[in-house]
Amino acid sequence: NVDFLNTLKREDYYSGVGEIIKLYLMREGIRDNLEEIIDKILVLTGRKDKSAITNIIHEIMKIKLSYVEGDERDLGKRNLLNYGHEFGHALESASYFAIPHGVAIMAGIIFANQISVKRGWLDSQTFNNINNNLLLPAISQSMVKFDNKYFDKIKILDSMKHDKKRSGDGLVLVLPRKESFTKIHDLTDVEFEHGLSKVQKVLSI
């Protein structure tokens, strides 16, 4: 019922857009079909083409199902859906939920992608393309205001260490790696600080 979308506050609507961007990026590899994804997000931004929006929702459901099916207990591929969420959840908490979930996830995608750039798993051109043509326009449309105080290093790091999907002693993060995604368990403090600084720079905070 796409008419329901018209009842949402702007920040809640764009929280949904953030999750949709995440799933499209996970469909066939983060470098593939970026122009097509950009076009579809523009349709969502317009909020008028009900048929196209319905088709997008169906596509997203199928993408998510491909990760969830056969992994009821979240022990395998389904874990990868946490892409953008480790940092995103921490930012939500550090901002005392002034940053809505899906908008925080878009910041989390910037963070994760930057770690992949640092490790040589994602090229800078793709990183910038995703930021400039997908994430930043959607964040801007959400009208959510970021404040430097939300990016408290100690609070965000502590929250990531207590993520409900974390197992073991290492700091975990789902990252794009070439044409697929992988979950690492060895994010270093140096990488964390670099990623945090980059997110603030990209968001112009």
Side-chain angles (χ1 to χ4, degrees), residues 9-101:
K9 294 179 181 178
R10 177 181 285 267
E11 60 265 32
D12 293 326
Y13 182 85
Y14 280 93
S15 273
V17 171
E19 292 281 8
I20 286 172
I21 290 173
K22 180 202 80 169
L23 286 165
Y24 270 135
L25 290 175
M26 295 183 71
R27 179 170 57 176
E28 297 172 358
I30 199 164
R31 294 183 183 89
D32 297 338
N33 303 319
L34 274 179
E35 294 304 317
E36 179 186 347
I37 297 171
I38 291 166
D39 288 343
K40 287 179 178 179
I41 299 307
L42 283 174
V43 169
L44 294 178
T45 300
R47 301 180 70 161
K48 292 181 180 179
D49 190 336
K50 293 183 181 180
S51 177
I53 292 173
T54 300
N55 289 337
I56 288 169
I57 292 170
H58 286 164
E59 283 186 337
I60 290 302
M61 291 169 68
K62 289 178 182 177
I63 295 168
K64 187 164 187 177
L65 180 62
S66 73
Y67 279 88
V68 172
E69 203 166 33
D71 191 12
E72 181 182 352
R73 298 188 182 277
D74 206 4
L75 300 175
K77 188 177 181 181
R78 185 173 179 172
N79 252 233
L80 299 178
L81 290 173
N82 221 32
Y83 173 48
H85 282 64
E86 299 94 346
F87 182 90
H89 283 154
L91 180 59
E92 279 184 277
S93 178
S95 73
Y96 298 98
F97 302 94
I99 305 299
H101 176 75

Side-chain angles (χ1 to χ4, degrees), residues 8 32 48 60-61 89 91-92 116 121 129 131 133 138 151 156 169 171 178 184 193 200 202:
L8 298 178
D32 297 338
K48 292 181 180 179
I60 290 302
M61 291 169 68
H89 283 154
L91 180 59
E92 279 184 277
S116 280
W121 296 347
N129 192 8
N131 290 342
N133 295 299
F151 291 81
I156 291 178
D169 296 327
L171 200 60
K178 296 183 179 180
I184 65 167
E193 291 186 16
Q200 291 176 281
V202 169

Side-chain angles (χ1 to χ4, degrees), residues 95-191:
S95 73
Y96 298 98
F97 302 94
I99 305 299
H101 176 75
V103 177
I105 297 318
M106 288 190 273
I109 291 173
I110 297 172
F111 179 86
N113 289 356
Q114 177 56 35
I115 302 301
S116 280
V117 171
K118 189 73 172 174
R119 292 195 175 202
W121 296 347
L122 182 68
D123 62 275
S124 295
Q125 182 178 350
T126 301
F127 174 76
N128 291 328
N129 192 8
I130 291 169
N131 290 342
N132 296 332
N133 295 299
L134 282 173
L135 299 172
L136 292 178
I139 290 171
S140 176
Q141 287 284 341
S142 76
M143 303 294 286
V144 171
K145 302 299 182 185
F146 288 90
D147 191 306
N148 192 55
K149 67 184 179 183
Y150 300 155
F151 291 81
D152 184 285
K153 179 178 72 174
I154 295 174
K155 287 182 180 178
I156 291 178
L157 186 59
D158 184 65
S159 183
M160 289 180 70
K161 287 180 178 179
H162 291 90
D163 190 283
K164 65 182 181 180
K165 293 189 178 182
R166 180 171 176 251
S167 59
D169 296 327
L171 200 60
V172 302
L173 198 64
V174 175
L175 300 176
R177 184 172 187 173
K178 296 183 179 180
E179 299 309 313
S180 61
F181 285 79
T182 188
K183 185 176 182 179
I184 65 167
H185 298 262
D186 59 352
L187 180 70
T188 67
D189 288 344
V190 172
E191 286 179 312

